[in-house]
Amino acid sequence: MYRTTPPVIRLSDYQPPEFLIDHVQLRFELDAQQTLVEAELSLRRNPAATRGDGDLRLDGEQLELEAIRLNERALTPAEYQIEDAHLRVRRVPDRCRLWTRVRLNPSANTALEGLYVSGDMLCTQCEAEGFRRITYFLDRPDVMATYRVTLIADPARYPVLLSNGNPAGDEGRLDDGRLCVHWDDPFPKPSYLFAVVAGDLRAVEDRFETASGRPIPLRIYVEPGNEDKCEHAMRSLIAAMRWDEQRYGREYDLEVFNIVAVSHFNMGAMENKGLNVFNAKYILARPESATDTDFAGIEGVVAHEYFHNWTGNRITCRDWFQLSLKEGFTVYRDQEFSADQGSRGVKRIEDVRLLRARQFPEDSGPMAHPVRPDSYIEINNFYTATVYEKGAELVRMQAHLLGPERFRQATDLYFERFDGQAVTTDDFVACMETAGGIDLTQFKRWYSQAGTPQLDCADRFDPATGTYRLEVRQHTPATPGQTEKQPLHIPLALGLLDAEGRDLPLQLQGETTPPAPGTRLLELRESVETFVFTGLAEQPVPSLLRGFSAPVQIHYPYTDAQLSFLMAHDSDGFNRWDAAQTLAQRLLLAMVEAPGTPVPAPFLDAFARALADEAADPALIAEVLTLPAESYLGDQMSVVDVDGIHRARQTLAAAIGSRLRAPLLAAYERTRSADAFDLSHASMGRRALGNLCLGYLVRAGDGEALALAQRQFDAQQNMTDVIAALRMLVETATEAGEQALTAFYQRWSSEPLVIDKWFALQAQSHRVDTLARVERLLAHPDFSLTNPNRVRALIGAFAGGNPVRFHAADGTGYRFLTDRILELDPLNPQIASRLLYPMTRWRRYDPGRQQLQRDQLERILEVEGLSNDVYEVVSKSLG
Ligand code: B3K
Ligand code: ZN
């Protein structure tokens, strides 16, 4: 049994810090086993502090304190105390300099938080609370300081020494031959943005000239041999820097901008000031070894981390409850950036697909929390789809309510008002209110209220008066700890279509402005609201929540015919896609209920029509023709029928493949491109559509299609095509699949990022023997529990990306995951906790599976010395 319950941190307990740190001098003697860190903190009592006993309490974990001085004087043991995760110095003066020397062992740091070893290099990860594993400090984001850093290391091992800010002065050599380098960061920053990297690294260089004409050298540092894989990341960085100047008037501020790609990293990347550290997955790419999805990921993440320089670094969070202040806004910014680089419509669909797949389930499950949470045990558990993706939707709604010009004025005001400060989401919204001239008091409930609002719509057309009444009811289901919900301020974009599919002119009753055709933004505020449109000659078909104008679920009793009609005619691309998804979802759920349900001809006709639309963006057509995921279909059922959903989806895919054979083959041929390595949006779209078509054909058991897949695999061109073909071979043809897997491994065995794909693809296979294979792969020489990418590729892909095999009715999947979590927790609690997610929603399954999952969750809870990360998720899930 877990003995002491870890403390709960609450927003309502927030207190300003008793001390501030204005400046920090750090000196590192870097070594993989023994690193010495000397820190001199210039401290002063915070005039805004409301309480304090005169003692200074600094955070520190896993540090060996060797020496401590206050204002140059060594402290006696009576003057300080080391409590479990704190250093307490008694009675310090209002202004002082505290100097400490601590020793750490980076090579023993498997949690990858603080200073750790990745391959042959040393690197850091400090967000959220990793700096306290480097030195004793006020490790909280509302303490912002300038830093001067000295790095000393053996140049044979670590010829490149990097930290935040600008290089300061010449590199030098100490008498013992060690290299000594200085960095200066003039911008006050919270400790979570601190970074150090040391290694034998190669730089890929370019340069960017800012709007005001300052040339900025840009360097991407990689391990030797990877220099030829940085072009796309560099191009994305330059595009992001330009975009932030043009769209937000934000210029880069330091003299250099550095990025380092590392192979052991807990998440995607980290926005450390002037020194972004990246999971190699989000930097390294060439078309023969990375997929189009990888390229899009790189573009988005490089931009995201760069954008943090203003939204996160120059203006940061007062406390971790405000995480969405920087994450929600920065995700919104990277979404808009990517929309401008490729297709806006397709990007919106991808973003909403992700929101529905990840955030909606989170918001209706045991870990549901508001965008600004009120409490946490372990903050690392709150880097969630809610804080990030729903947070981005809240910014998007405000941008929508203000319109582009006022939104820009509001962000200008935000940057002007809060530069150099640590602030709150309320501060952000206040800028929206001031510049927008609107009252967002009610809107702010979006930040504090968890759960996905449900909108129930009903309508009535009165031909006698030509009026159309639309009634919208909103309600938000209860979430853990929040049973009472209040109505939200919801922007609802809609259009009304005539019988030809054209947008009708819209005029609300009582309005004097002339009716305008197109989309209209309604604002909901009450639990029930009725909107009366006048001057209509015929019963319209409503197109609701255009562009997904709010993160809600909308319900309207559409007939299948109306959905097909919207799919064909809606002027809103998002709603055309959404209508197609709803149609497919309905059919699939009917097939789950009644397995013999035939596939209706109109469904296939609509599919064929979309396929034949050669004028449309192939990426968009691919989105329209992609069936909803198994997990998403499960979310729509009161009890998830794991096997029924899998069967229905396979059956429908096979039916599409056999009944639309000719048009699918034609589309496949049409989308093959002469330049397999082209990375334009158009080429990526063609590959997506082509592989989707081939996949349907293969699932129908089509021999010719399987031969095409084999040929596509053998051609070994773009990785997008190779991986798609490999997946088809593995799923269908045992012998050819095995051979292809072997060939693929041999070809790519020296490229870890490609080998991750090899692991993931096998873990996601629908074949019945997949778990046995995954267990065998645990013993593969390339598998390692200490590399998060590998863990995600094998264990994460199985548990999170293979519902039918993970949720096997005999509970073997659950037991497997639990065993792995218990092995991982002592090594890397963040990764262990993340892997748990698929089991937290046990209540959604049948009684047998519920019991099996609960048994495993309880088994975890019984382990002594569990991390706070895993404890929090398991205990809340059992709740
Ligand atoms: N800010 C980091 C995430 C840090 C996660 C710490 N557990 C990456 C990002 O959102 O840009
Ligand atoms: Zn971020």
Side-chain angles (χ1 to χ4, degrees):
M1 227 24 225
Y2 200 91
R3 274 134 225 248
T4 47
T5 317
V8 177
I9 320 288
R10 289 177 207 285
L11 170 58
S12 55
D13 291 341
Y14 173 82
Q15 294 287 337
E18 291 172 37
F19 288 89
L20 298 173
I21 302 174
D22 294 317
H23 183 67
V24 184
Q25 295 213 39
L26 290 167
R27 181 176 182 277
F28 284 77
E29 291 186 40
L30 291 160
D31 177 81
Q33 272 80 38
Q34 296 206 31
T35 286
L36 285 178
V37 183
E38 294 176 3
E40 186 184 271
L41 317 181
S42 304
L43 288 144
R44 86 184 135 93
R45 198 169 296 277
N46 182 4
T50 45
R51 55 173 190 216
D53 52 10
D55 290 355
L56 171 69
R57 283 165 62 90
L58 298 176
D59 305 294
E61 284 174 21
Q62 300 180 15
L63 304 173
E64 220 183 292
L65 182 66
E66 292 199 334
I68 177 165
R69 288 185 220 139
L70 190 67
N71 291 337
E72 327 283 278
R73 182 179 68 79
L75 291 181
T76 65
E79 290 173 295
Y80 69 94
Q81 217 174 326
I82 294 181
E83 299 160 346
D84 54 326
H86 296 278
L87 165 67
R88 179 151 158 198
V89 187
R90 305 244 174 237
R91 309 273 121 114
V92 298
D94 287 351
R95 270 179 191 277
C96 60
R97 280 196 321 280
L98 182 80
W99 178 94
T100 56
R101 185 170 67 226
V102 299
R103 187 180 290 271
L104 8 143
N105 179 0
S107 66
N109 181 354
T110 55
L112 314 189
E113 221 189 346
L115 179 67
Y116 66 91
V117 175
S118 171
D120 292 327
M121 64 206 234
L122 286 169
C123 63
T124 55
Q125 169 57 35
C126 292
E127 188 175 0
E129 298 179 333
F131 193 66
R132 62 188 64 184
R133 290 164 180 244
I134 293 176
T135 193
Y136 285 105
F137 204 75
L138 292 171
D139 192 14
R140 45 186 289 170
D142 55 357
V143 173
M144 298 174 84
T146 54
Y147 285 64
R148 179 176 172 96
V149 178
T150 299
L151 302 174
I152 295 164
D154 171 8
R157 287 191 77 107
Y158 305 118
V160 174
L161 300 175
L162 305 170
S163 190
N164 315 89
N166 299 319
D170 287 340
E171 299 192 353
R173 288 296 172 106
L174 302 186
D175 292 344
D176 59 10
R178 283 186 299 171
L179 182 63
C180 177
V181 169
H182 307 283
W183 290 87
D184 240 319
D185 187 356
F187 294 95
K189 65 167 177 291
S191 52
Y192 80 83
L193 291 173
F194 174 80
V196 158
V197 173
D200 181 9
L201 303 170
R202 302 296 134 88
V204 174
E205 286 204 42
D206 210 318
R207 119 202 304 258
F208 178 81
E209 188 171 313
T210 69
S212 69
R214 287 185 311 120
I216 313 287
L218 311 174
R219 295 193 187 89
I220 300 180
Y221 288 92
V222 295
E223 288 168 0
N226 284 331
E227 297 91 321
D228 62 345
K229 304 192 188 83
C230 302
E231 203 184 304
H232 183 67
M234 187 64 90
R235 197 169 331 126
S236 303
L237 173 62
I238 291 171
M241 294 178 86
R242 192 61 75 208
W243 189 89
D244 212 15
E245 292 182 342
Q246 289 165 351
R247 285 286 293 269
Y248 284 88
R250 296 298 109 198
E251 200 174 304
Y252 187 62
D253 47 10
L254 289 164
E255 289 159 24
V256 295
F257 187 75
N258 290 324
I259 287 180
V260 184
V262 309
S263 54
H264 296 68
F265 207 65
N266 280 348
M267 64 268 170
M270 179 63 214
E271 69 265 23
N272 318 300
K273 182 80 188 188
L275 178 57
N276 290 0
V277 176
F278 271 67
N279 185 326
K281 177 180 162 59
Y282 289 107
I283 292 292
L284 305 180
R286 289 173 58 84
E288 58 269 35
S289 59
T291 62
D292 294 339
T293 310
D294 295 330
F295 279 94
I298 290 168
E299 178 181 271
V301 179
V302 167
H304 179 98
E305 306 310 332
Y306 175 73
F307 295 153
H308 267 315
N309 191 50
W310 276 95
T311 51
N313 301 4
R314 290 284 288 256
I315 304 179
T316 196
C317 305
R318 187 193 73 172
D319 54 73
W320 291 119
F321 299 100
Q322 318 298 329
L323 183 56
S324 197
L325 173 83
K326 73 177 178 84
E327 296 304 346
F329 191 13
T330 305
V331 170
Y332 171 71
R333 278 151 53 70
D334 85 54
Q335 289 175 344
E336 286 295 290
F337 167 75
S338 293
D340 284 345
Q341 308 304 303
S343 149
R344 179 158 285 273
V346 172
K347 177 64 179 154
R348 187 67 185 136
I349 290 167
E350 289 167 356
D351 292 340
V352 174
R353 201 198 281 285
L354 179 78
L355 186 84
R356 286 176 172 165
R358 298 259 185 80
Q359 200 277 326
F360 280 16
E362 188 169 278
D363 231 355
S364 63
M367 284 289 289
H369 54 275
V371 168
R372 186 190 62 210
D374 331 282
S375 71
Y376 59 78
I377 291 176
E378 171 52 62
I379 185 56
N380 284 322
N381 284 331
F382 285 79
Y383 287 74
T384 59
T386 298
V387 167
Y388 276 64
E389 271 73 33
K390 188 175 179 179
E393 294 298 321
L394 305 200
V395 176
R396 183 175 296 276
M397 284 192 283
Q398 292 172 79
H400 214 148
L401 288 168
L402 265 66
E405 274 163 36
R406 284 184 306 161
F407 180 68
R408 170 63 194 267
Q409 286 161 8
T411 59
D412 284 352
L413 175 63
Y414 174 69
F415 293 121
E416 189 189 301
R417 199 185 267 180
F418 297 119
D419 188 14
Q421 297 182 46
V423 303
T424 65
T425 55
D426 283 346
D427 292 326
F428 176 84
V429 177
C431 295
M432 298 289 133
E433 289 185 304
T434 305
I438 53 172
D439 179 358
L440 293 171
T441 311
Q442 185 184 2
F443 185 88
K444 281 200 270 188
R445 288 179 190 159
W446 277 106
Y447 284 94
S448 57
Q449 190 166 287
T452 305
Q454 306 291 307
L455 299 191
D456 291 306
C457 304
D459 59 355
R460 194 157 45 83
F461 175 66
D462 180 358
T465 56
T467 55
Y468 173 78
R469 300 169 67 86
L470 179 70
E471 184 193 86
V472 189
R473 290 173 180 271
Q474 58 160 301
H475 90 279
T476 304
T479 53
Q482 270 190 352
T483 42
E484 295 298 311
K485 304 283 181 180
Q486 293 178 300
L488 296 166
H489 178 185
I490 302 175
L492 176 65
L494 60 72
L496 300 177
L497 274 63
D498 72 9
E500 308 315 298
R502 288 174 305 224
D503 277 329
L504 286 162
L506 301 182
Q507 190 170 41
L508 285 169
Q509 199 164 52
E511 276 179 351
T512 48
T513 44
T519 302
R520 171 102 195 207
L521 190 69
L522 303 179
E523 296 184 36
L524 310 177
R525 288 193 174 85
E526 311 292 331
S527 309
V528 186
E529 297 211 36
T530 305
F531 300 91
V532 182
F533 294 92
T534 56
L536 298 168
E538 52 178 316
Q539 163 99 43
V541 176
S543 165
L544 301 165
L545 201 68
R546 279 184 164 174
F548 199 72
S549 60
V552 301
Q553 266 184 313
I554 193 141
H555 309 279
Y556 174 85
Y558 285 114
T559 63
D560 286 359
Q562 285 175 319
L563 287 172
S564 302
F565 174 81
L566 287 173
M567 179 178 164
H569 300 291
D570 200 329
S571 65
D572 185 67
F574 178 85
N575 272 7
R576 279 206 303 280
W577 168 79
D578 208 25
Q581 291 294 295
T582 309
L583 266 180
Q585 172 190 315
R586 274 189 192 176
L587 174 56
L588 284 160
L589 293 177
M591 292 169 77
V592 175
E593 284 301 308
T597 304
V599 180
F603 179 85
L604 291 168
D605 292 344
F607 216 91
R609 255 197 317 277
L611 206 50
D613 186 353
E614 289 189 40
D617 176 1
L620 181 67
I621 300 299
E623 293 290 352
V624 169
L625 300 185
T626 298
L627 299 178
E630 289 181 23
S631 53
Y632 182 72
L633 291 165
D635 293 339
Q636 315 310 312
M637 301 186 74
S638 50
V639 177
V640 183
D641 180 349
V642 178
D643 298 306
I645 289 171
H646 180 67
R647 207 177 307 118
R649 207 169 170 281
Q650 293 293 102
T651 307
L652 180 55
I656 291 168
S658 64
R659 303 218 346 234
L660 298 178
R661 183 170 193 274
L664 287 168
L665 266 178
Y668 177 71
E669 292 303 344
R670 189 170 80 224
T671 51
R672 293 294 85 195
S673 136
D675 186 358
F677 297 113
D678 181 45
L679 291 174
S680 64
H681 177 77
S683 287
M684 289 190 180
R686 278 196 291 273
R687 282 191 286 273
L689 183 56
N691 286 320
L692 185 76
C693 292
L694 189 60
Y696 283 128
L697 290 162
V698 167
R699 266 188 281 186
D702 191 298
E704 189 184 333
L706 199 57
L708 287 171
Q710 184 72 56
R711 196 183 322 150
Q712 184 171 312
F713 177 77
D714 292 338
Q716 291 290 324
Q717 300 236 306
N718 189 301
M719 181 56 81
T720 306
D721 289 338
V722 175
I723 275 283
L726 179 60
R727 195 179 294 278
M728 295 174 212
L729 295 174
V730 167
E731 289 303 306
T732 39
T734 315
E735 221 8 72
E738 289 309 314
Q739 281 169 14
L741 277 172
T742 307
F744 187 88
Y745 178 80
Q746 279 164 357
R747 179 175 164 133
W748 295 109
S749 58
S750 61
E751 296 279 356
L753 295 171
V754 185
I755 294 303
D756 286 337
K757 298 183 196 303
W758 182 81
F759 276 102
L761 190 145
Q762 296 179 76
Q764 285 171 335
S765 166
H766 297 146
R767 282 159 49 166
V768 287
D769 60 350
T770 291
L771 178 55
R773 180 185 287 263
V774 170
E775 281 177 321
R776 273 201 310 282
L777 286 171
L778 285 177
H780 192 281
D782 288 348
F783 183 76
S784 154
L785 270 184
T786 52
N787 186 324
N789 282 357
R790 213 29 71 81
V791 169
R792 282 184 281 254
L794 186 61
I795 305 167
F798 174 72
N802 195 350
V804 69
R805 297 302 159 225
F806 173 64
H807 290 283
D810 61 3
T812 45
Y814 308 143
R815 218 171 26 243
F816 167 81
L817 180 65
T818 303
D819 291 344
R820 304 292 81 76
I821 285 171
L822 293 178
E823 285 167 1
L824 265 163
D825 192 39
L827 298 170
N828 189 331
Q830 279 186 52
I831 298 294
S833 160
R834 291 263 150 170
L835 282 182
L836 259 166
Y837 180 76
M839 224 156 48
T840 59
R841 307 199 70 231
W842 56 274
R843 283 190 181 80
R844 307 271 308 116
Y845 295 83
D846 54 81
R849 287 182 171 90
Q850 284 195 15
Q851 188 59 47
L852 289 164
Q853 292 179 79
R854 261 178 52 190
D855 290 347
Q856 298 304 317
L857 291 169
E858 279 162 7
R859 194 181 129 210
I860 296 175
L861 215 51
E862 263 157 35
V863 170
E864 226 178 282
L866 217 52
S867 67
N868 286 354
D869 310 58
V870 167
Y871 171 80
E872 177 170 37
V873 175
V874 176
S875 59
K876 286 187 175 166
S877 155
L878 286 169

